[in-house]
Amino acid sequence: MFLVVILAMVAGFMALQLYRVLGKRTGHEQPLPRPAEERAPLTVVQRPVEALPDTREPVGRAVEPKAETGVRAIIAADPSFDVARFLEGSQAAYRMILEAFWKGDEEQLAWLAEDEVRDAFTQAILARTEAGHVLDNRLVAIERAVISDASLEGKLARITVRFDAAIAAVTRDADNNVVAGSMTDAVETHDVWTFARTLKSKDPNWKLADTDEA
């Protein structure tokens, strides 16, 4: 019982950190679902658009060239946006969403992902449940997280992050027998996730809007 309380406190703390960092400031035997289609699943006064934020060096390492124009546009529309803190928050979101999906926690996924992505997750969880399978997965490490694309259309900001991670994945049946995978051998994964938010809206949270593989 004590362990359950501790885990609940940890989950609550992570959710609060995600709100503060990603929102406010800023297998897999069964692969993550892909929404929309089947797939093999910033106003600054007197500051030029060309100017990168003060954290010039970290931004240079964390943003790929293709994404620089979009990141500048987002910063111009929302001066409080911070690249380093966004990436920190995106990694927390990556872990939270993966763990919620693996556990089948649809309530958690509902406020972390947009409707289309949430529905895709729900369908995958349902299919897994009907097959009598349970995922016993563990995110071993996030080796790298980098902004690979960014855009601002009107007030809608979209930021794509590439995550290079190591995941230990096991699928078990209803009798707890291992159907596939191994907890001793981590699998390299390369996920491309897009987060979206309407700038200056009442909702400060960035939500997962799309998933793909690199």
Side-chain angles (χ1 to χ4, degrees):
M1 181 64 180
F2 178 74
L3 178 58
V4 172
V5 173
I6 293 298
L7 290 176
M9 291 174 64
V10 170
F13 173 76
M14 289 185 67
L16 179 60
Q17 288 300 100
L18 176 61
Y19 171 82
R20 289 174 176 171
V21 178
L22 182 57
K24 205 168 186 179
R25 280 285 302 178
T26 355
H28 316 269
E29 169 62 21
Q30 186 171 1
L32 288 173
R34 273 84 171 152
E37 70 270 357
E38 291 295 325
R39 302 183 180 123
L42 335 158
T43 300
V44 179
V45 178
Q46 302 298 325
R47 186 167 80 170
V49 173
E50 291 76 11
L52 286 168
D54 295 338
T55 52
R56 180 180 297 272
E57 289 306 316
V59 170
R61 292 190 295 269
V63 180
E64 293 184 348
K66 177 183 176 182
E68 288 180 359
T69 299
V71 169
R72 292 190 184 106
I74 292 171
I75 293 172
D78 181 4
S80 69
F81 178 79
D82 182 277
V83 170
R85 297 198 66 177
F86 175 86
L87 277 174
E88 179 183 331
S90 71
Q91 292 178 71
Y94 182 71
R95 179 180 295 275
M96 292 170 68
I97 292 170
L98 282 178
E99 292 179 349
F101 173 65
W102 295 336
K103 295 174 184 175
D105 190 342
E106 297 180 34
E107 183 177 350
Q108 176 104 318
L109 291 170
W111 68 270
L112 291 170
E114 293 190 344
D115 292 348
E116 193 173 14
V117 180
R118 179 206 61 207
D119 291 344
F121 279 128
T122 298
Q123 292 172 16
I125 291 171
L126 178 60
R128 188 172 73 211
T129 301
E130 291 177 344
H133 291 168
V134 175
L135 298 185
D136 185 8
N137 294 0
R138 179 168 59 91
L139 178 59
V140 177
I142 299 176
E143 306 292 348
R144 181 172 179 257
V146 61
I147 295 176
S148 59
D149 201 0
S151 65
L152 181 63
E153 298 181 7
K155 294 182 179 180
L156 179 62
R158 293 172 62 90
I159 300 178
T160 300
V161 182
R162 172 188 166 120
F163 298 98
D164 297 329
I167 294 175
V170 169
T171 300
R172 301 180 186 274
D173 62 19
D175 297 320
N176 206 37
N177 297 312
V178 176
V179 175
S182 168
M183 289 300 287
T184 58
D185 297 321
V187 177
E188 290 186 4
T189 63
H190 308 285
D191 291 319
V192 180
W193 286 14
T194 299
F195 298 90
R197 175 178 179 259
T198 300
L199 301 183
K200 298 183 180 180
S201 68
K202 293 181 180 180
D203 185 355
N205 295 307
W206 292 80
K207 289 189 176 183
L208 180 62
D210 196 13
T211 67
D212 204 346
E213 293 180 353

